[in-house]
Amino acid sequence: MSVNEFLAIRVDQPFGSFYSVRLNSKFILQRAYSKSASFDGAEITGAQRKLRRERLKEIGEFIDSDDAMFPSSIIIAANYYEDDRLAEEDDQWRVEAVDEGLNLYKLIVPSDKIVCSIVDGQHRLFGFEYATEDFDLNCSLYLDLPPSLQASVFATVNFNQSPVDKSLAYNLFGYQLDRLDSEIWSPDLLAINLCRYFAITPGEFFCGHINFRLKEKNVPKGNWVISTAAFVDGVLRLISRNPRLDRYEINKKTMWGLAGRKAIKADESFSMREYFRVKNDKAIEQVISAFFNAVGSIFDIKDHSDHVFVKTIGISALFQLLNEMLLKYGVDKDTIDEFPVLLRKAKVINLEDTEFFPSSTKGQNRLLRMLLHFVLDKPFAEMELREEAENELSDKAEQYRQR
């Protein structure tokens, strides 16, 4: 195996699946960030930060000693950037089966991009920055686990089940769950709730097709399947440029309580952001439902389909197309009624051309640009492309027209 490939054992538990894998401390540090350590809300004071530095120095001294050992696992979650955006396809950690009977897999880390969140064990890991030694660590790795669920793991591991303690754990990740009022839901929490709804609601395009929390409990065998992360990322593309910043703005404390959704700034680049700000979550749900049900109908997508639109690159491209459609035509009943008409214009694209639309960042970008070109009549010249890429897309589009 190459330097970026590691053997891992899949462990299935009620919350979801993770992978037990041995990784070197230096390797993780080059690709990792700590969410709770970077929270700058009122719950973490300057004195606590100072204590943390002293603690790291103590751990660094222990690491350099002859007694150094960390037998318990570091919990990490890969495939989200530090701003809570899902990592690009080319940067995502992934696994390939070696022996499914033994739950043995190969972990592939394709780049040195920072896409790994330290969910629990950040003091042990960042203690290596104060040490001269480095060594292997036992890691429990979650793939594609959205930030709000990372907070859930942290809370469960570190605190008991009393509301106050668990709320404090979530606060370290920027969430205020001591109140259940949806007024203080962040964009990613709304996306998680929509994910649950669409994953289990009969008649919806995504019903039985979202691998919620990684373990395939609600996905019948043989169905096409996407991850929770792919769906959540799609919803966020309608709402937020920086989900993490929005979360902190919403949860800021004021003299009247938490700031709430209206505290975030308007941004006309995101078609459903204003609906989110005024807590019209039903409208967001209805738009997503109508659009993807139209996709399923127009392109005859069945439960067992192997179609580019039911792969991660397709779901991402479709959500971005939806955002651009709504920005161009507005969010109203007339636009929703036009979804089938507009989507039919994409049928000229050869969506079975996996060579031109590979499962990669490049393939996703090509697919999105083709959709924008044919569905919204957007010239390639307006897409800020390199000349080579523009010519490539123009030539391929002309081939499609002549089919």
Side-chain angles (χ1 to χ4, degrees), residues 7-10 19 95-106:
L7 289 176
I9 296 174
R10 174 170 165 154
Y19 297 87
V95 291
E96 294 178 356
V98 174
D99 187 327
E100 291 186 334
L102 295 175
N103 275 1
L104 185 63
Y105 290 78
K106 177 172 65 176

Side-chain angles (χ1 to χ4, degrees), residues 275-295:
Y275 290 84
F276 172 78
R277 290 181 72 241
V278 300
K279 212 173 74 169
N280 191 349
D281 301 338
K282 190 66 178 177
I284 300 173
E285 173 199 309
Q286 290 173 341
V287 166
I288 294 172
S289 175
F291 178 79
F292 280 97
N293 285 342
V295 169

Side-chain angles (χ1 to χ4, degrees), residues 16 63 74 86 93 100 104 110 159 179 207 229 236 247 256 270 287 319 322 341 363 366 385 399:
I63 290 169
I74 306 287
L86 184 65
W93 297 19
E100 291 186 334
L104 185 63
F159 293 80
R179 290 180 54 187
C207 183
L236 292 177
R247 182 165 73 242
W256 299 282
F270 296 86
V287 166
F319 267 109
L322 172 58
V341 176
R366 282 174 172 174
L385 302 170
Q399 292 178 25

Side-chain angles (χ1 to χ4, degrees), residues 41-167:
E43 285 73 20
I44 299 180
T45 67
Q48 288 172 307
R49 289 197 185 100
K50 184 176 180 180
L51 284 172
R52 178 175 175 273
R53 283 195 298 271
E54 291 303 314
R55 177 62 176 149
L56 290 175
K57 290 178 182 178
E58 291 175 1
I59 293 173
E61 292 175 359
F62 173 72
I63 290 169
D64 286 336
S65 74
D66 292 337
D67 295 325
M69 59 174 172
F70 294 131
S72 58
S73 68
I74 306 287
I75 303 176
I76 58 180
N79 295 340
Y80 275 86
Y81 297 123
E82 198 166 359
D83 65 356
D84 288 354
R85 283 287 184 190
L86 184 65
E88 295 288 340
E89 195 87 12
D90 294 348
D91 296 335
Q92 290 187 14
W93 297 19
R94 66 184 189 277
V95 291
E96 294 178 356
V98 174
D99 187 327
E100 291 186 334
L102 295 175
N103 275 1
L104 185 63
Y105 290 78
K106 177 172 65 176
L107 169 66
I108 300 170
V109 180
S111 76
D112 59 0
K113 294 292 180 65
I114 299 176
V115 296
C116 185
S117 166
I118 309 303
V119 178
D120 185 63
Q122 59 266 24
H123 282 84
R124 281 170 286 163
L125 181 61
F126 287 101
F128 282 91
E129 293 183 338
Y130 292 81
T132 57
E133 299 294 323
D134 64 87
F135 51 77
D136 290 343
L137 296 170
N138 174 26
C139 298
S140 295
L141 167 67
Y142 286 94
L143 294 176
D144 304 335
L145 192 67
S148 60
L149 295 182
Q150 294 177 32
S152 178
V153 172
F154 178 82
T156 300
V157 169
N158 287 280
F159 293 80
N160 61 39
Q161 298 303 306
S162 72
V164 173
D165 286 343
K166 200 155 190 179
S167 173

Side-chain angles (χ1 to χ4, degrees), residues 320-335:
Q320 291 178 80
L321 172 66
L322 172 58
N323 189 55
E324 294 300 320
M325 288 171 68
L326 296 173
L327 290 175
K328 181 174 182 177
Y329 297 112
V331 184
D332 54 37
K333 185 178 183 302
D334 289 341
T335 301

Side-chain angles (χ1 to χ4, degrees), residues 239 241 246 261-270 273-274 277:
I239 297 172
R241 187 181 306 276
D246 285 345
R261 297 195 198 184
K262 288 186 178 179
I264 65 173
K265 296 178 181 178
D267 189 333
E268 294 181 354
S269 298
F270 296 86
R273 187 171 177 84
E274 190 59 28
R277 290 181 72 241

